[in-house]
Each structure stands twice: as structure tokens, then as C-alpha cells.
Amino acid sequence: MDASQLSSFSDLPLDVARLLFETAAWEDPETAYNLVLVSKVVRQWIDPILHYSVVLFRSPELTSFHNSIISRNDNAFFSRAVKVLSIGDRFSGDIPSPDPDLRRDKVWASVKAVLNACRGVGRLALWIENCRDLEMERFTGKDGSLHPTRMSLLNLTADLYISKQDCKVTFLPGSLTHLNLDSEHSVDIDIIRWKDIYVCCPNLAHILLSGNAISDDFNDGELFSHVVEPIVAKLPDTVATITIVVEPEDMILRDDVHLFEEQLDAIAEVSNRFVVVCHDTSYRGQVQGLHVVENDHTLFDLEWGDWQDMDETWEFAERYVANRRQNAMTSAPQVCQNQAV
């Protein structure tokens, strides 16, 4: 069915028909997959929507998408269509091969082919330990082909490009405005060389920190010394918000609440750009810069690859900091706690 037939069949102007199909596809992914079967014309409309956000967590997803790139033989399409790309780390273990090196090489060849094709990505999520094997500087560095504005680096460990032992932050793109660092394993967060990140990313405006290591520092009373002080040491004016998501232990709220409050008071005093988001409902104290959310609240449950939650968290932090500054300008400092998101 060609364009004229489709227009005649629907008895609608072609642009109206396209709007209806695209709206239905954006609202329901299952509907979108069915719509590509209607006609070649409709498929041309819907394909970019289906490829807008790509999540590659395991080898079958990676292999399927790589094969799609090869069969389509049109990197320009992927460059235009793919705007959100999340690449996991569950690859090498389930690609059948007796040779681990061959298996690993196959994985990285596929991932690099994906990165080469998806050059229009605006949001990029990566497992941090993969960055060295992927030679990410080739893709996102100064002369790279990728220029995302938002990056999420997962599973922070001591063996980083951005550590004191191996300080190579050049894989972080200069285009970056939003950076999420997440650690699911205990690690000394103070190894991060923030001043080098600021130099490498002159447009960086919003920082989001989460994960077990952040919560561990918080519960040990070391959040200020391990996380906050290194961040503010060379903090440029361009950075507007720093959001820290923590999950306090019951003990600190029951037996050491003074330690809890002292940390937050120190953070609020050093900069009004910090927002500490606490997953707990039992604390009812008055501390500036703290936002307490219900335990079942989903906004700050930052699941891997869930860019909607991350985007909403950044937007919340921007509003929150703006309100604090407005309050400081119009009245005495006010506590910003339990406010609506």
C-alpha cells in the first residue's frame, strides 16, 4: 500500500493519519509493533519511535540489535532515531564459546558497532568497568563521534578511569550537562577526581549520586568528608544541583540521629546546591536541604536504564534548589522538607 492508497483508504489527510499513528505508537509500545505491519508507509513513521530508546542488557538483545544494524545497512537511520541508549554488562557470560577471549572480543565488537551507528544519542548509560574495554574515549572523547548531554555510569568501583590511580576522564564528553554516578558496591567515593571532571565537562550542570557506597558513607557519618568536600573543592558556578540519594539505616535514625542531622547541617551550610533525598518515613526532624520521601515512592528508585526516573529526579532537584534560593532571598532560611514533588 503506497502513500496515496493509505490516504484514500483512511479518508484522512496524510499528515493527520501520520499524527494518529505516531501518537498511538508513543502511548503503547505493543501497539507500535503492530502498526509497523499496516503498510510500508506506516512502518517508516513508526520505526523511529520503536528505536528511540534502546536497552541492551544481555547478549540476545545485543546480538539482535547488532544484526538489525547490519541488515538495515543504514547507520544514518540509527543516528537519527536512537536518542536513548543503555548498555549493560550481562554479555560475555551467556554468549556460547569455549574461548573466553573470543567471547569477549565478539561482545565488544558488537557494542562498538552499536556505538558507531547510534551517533545521535542524547542519553547514554554504561557500566563503568566496560569503558576501558570499549575504549570509550574514541566514541565520547574530545574527537569522538558521540556527544550525549546526559550520562549514567553504573557500578562504580575502585578501578576507574576517574580514579587517582588512573586518572583518565577524557572519555567524558564535553557536551555533558547531566551526570549520574551509581555505586552498587562498597568503594571509597573520595577517589573520584572531581576537578578533572569539571575541566573535561565545562557544561556540567547537574550531578546525581546514588548507590550502596553513598548510603554506607552516610550511615558511617562520612558523607561530608568522602562525598561533599571533594565535590565542592573546585565546584564551578555552572553546576546548579548536586542530588544525593541515601537510604539510612534504622539505627542511625534511632540511636545516632544527631550524627544524621550534623551531616545534613554541614552540607546545607557549605552550599545550597545540594539536595539530600532520604528514603525513610520515620524521621520528622527539621533539617535544611533534606527531602524525605515515602518508602514506596517511585520517583527516586533509580533502576538501571530508567531514564524517566533520572530525568524527573534532576527536574525535581532543579525546582527544589530554585525554591530554596527564592526563600533565602525573600525571608529567613526555611526548611524544605516533605514538600510535594
Side-chain angles (χ1 to χ4, degrees):
M1 184 183 296
D2 60 24
S4 61
Q5 289 174 315
L6 178 62
S7 181
S8 175
F9 174 80
S10 63
D11 212 16
L12 288 171
L14 198 59
D15 56 344
V16 174
R18 178 172 185 170
L19 178 61
L20 293 174
F21 277 112
E22 289 181 340
T23 300
W26 280 116
E27 291 180 351
D28 183 10
E30 290 189 13
T31 297
Y33 283 108
N34 291 327
L35 289 176
V36 296
L37 304 176
V38 171
S39 73
K40 291 183 178 179
V41 173
V42 174
R43 178 165 188 160
Q44 290 174 355
W45 298 341
I46 305 303
D47 255 356
I49 297 174
L50 289 175
H51 289 83
Y52 178 84
S53 179
V54 175
V55 177
L56 307 174
F57 190 56
R58 296 186 179 276
S59 58
E61 299 156 359
L62 174 64
T63 301
S64 176
F65 192 68
H66 186 195
N67 289 339
S68 176
I69 292 173
I70 295 172
S71 62
R72 188 181 284 265
N73 193 27
D74 182 10
N75 279 5
F77 167 80
F78 294 98
S79 181
R80 292 191 306 269
V82 180
K83 301 302 179 185
V84 181
L85 179 61
S86 301
I87 300 177
D89 74 330
R90 302 294 190 264
F91 296 136
S92 56
D94 43 34
I95 291 181
S97 172
D99 186 342
D101 291 334
L102 179 63
R103 188 166 59 225
R104 189 164 47 249
D105 290 345
K106 183 177 180 180
V107 167
W108 298 140
S110 293
V111 175
K112 289 175 182 179
V114 170
L115 293 172
N116 275 321
C118 303
R119 299 190 176 195
V121 164
R123 290 165 170 78
L124 178 62
L126 294 168
W127 236 252
I128 185 71
E129 62 260 42
N130 293 346
C131 289
R132 180 178 284 106
D133 289 326
L134 287 172
E135 301 174 290
M136 281 306 299
E137 187 175 350
R138 290 177 44 203
F139 299 99
T140 56
K142 183 177 179 181
D143 300 318
S145 56
L146 297 177
H147 306 284
T149 58
R150 304 189 178 200
M151 282 189 73
S152 178
L153 299 176
L154 287 301
N155 203 27
L156 220 57
T157 65
D159 183 23
L160 304 178
Y161 276 175
I162 50 179
S163 70
K164 292 178 180 177
Q165 294 88 346
D166 187 13
C167 183
K168 294 181 180 179
V169 298
T170 49
F171 76 94
L172 292 175
S175 56
L176 208 62
T177 60
H178 295 66
L179 176 63
N180 172 43
L181 295 177
D182 181 280
S183 175
E184 289 306 316
H185 302 287
S186 182
V187 63
D188 291 331
I189 294 296
D190 59 347
I191 66 174
I192 298 175
R193 295 286 295 270
W194 286 101
K195 64 179 182 179
D196 296 311
I197 292 178
Y198 300 146
V199 171
C200 191
C201 308
N203 300 308
L204 186 62
H206 303 283
I207 298 168
L208 174 60
L209 302 172
S210 60
N212 291 340
I214 298 292
S215 292
D216 288 346
D217 277 342
F218 182 79
N219 290 313
D220 292 340
E222 297 176 335
L223 185 68
F224 188 85
S225 59
H226 280 190
V227 179
V228 175
E229 281 188 326
I231 290 176
V232 300
K234 298 287 184 178
L235 186 64
D237 293 339
T238 52
V239 176
T241 68
I242 307 102
T243 306
I244 303 174
V245 180
V246 298
E247 296 188 11
E249 296 176 350
D250 292 339
M251 182 182 68
I252 193 174
L253 295 174
R254 184 182 64 249
D255 303 329
D256 297 312
V257 70
H258 67 282
L259 183 63
F260 174 89
E261 294 175 337
E262 285 173 2
Q263 290 187 88
L264 295 168
D265 284 335
I267 294 171
E269 184 175 334
V270 75
S271 175
N272 63 4
R273 289 180 273 181
F274 281 89
V275 181
V276 178
V277 176
C278 172
H279 281 275
D280 188 85
T281 56
S282 63
Y283 180 74
R284 289 295 178 267
Q286 299 292 306
V287 181
Q288 186 172 345
L290 171 67
H291 180 74
V292 178
V293 297
E294 300 292 330
N295 283 333
D296 59 355
H297 202 294
T298 60
L299 174 59
F300 303 102
D301 289 341
L302 303 173
E303 298 294 334
W304 180 84
D306 189 345
W307 278 99
Q308 181 175 348
D309 273 357
M310 268 188 287
D311 288 342
E312 290 178 355
T313 299
W314 276 316
E315 290 169 6
F316 162 78
E318 198 166 4
R319 294 194 307 270
Y320 191 98
V321 169
N323 288 340
R324 286 177 64 189
R325 288 177 174 172
Q326 183 65 30
N327 290 339
M329 291 171 56
T330 58
S331 62
Q334 299 180 14
V335 174
C336 301
Q337 183 180 345
N338 288 326
Q339 67 183 44
V341 176

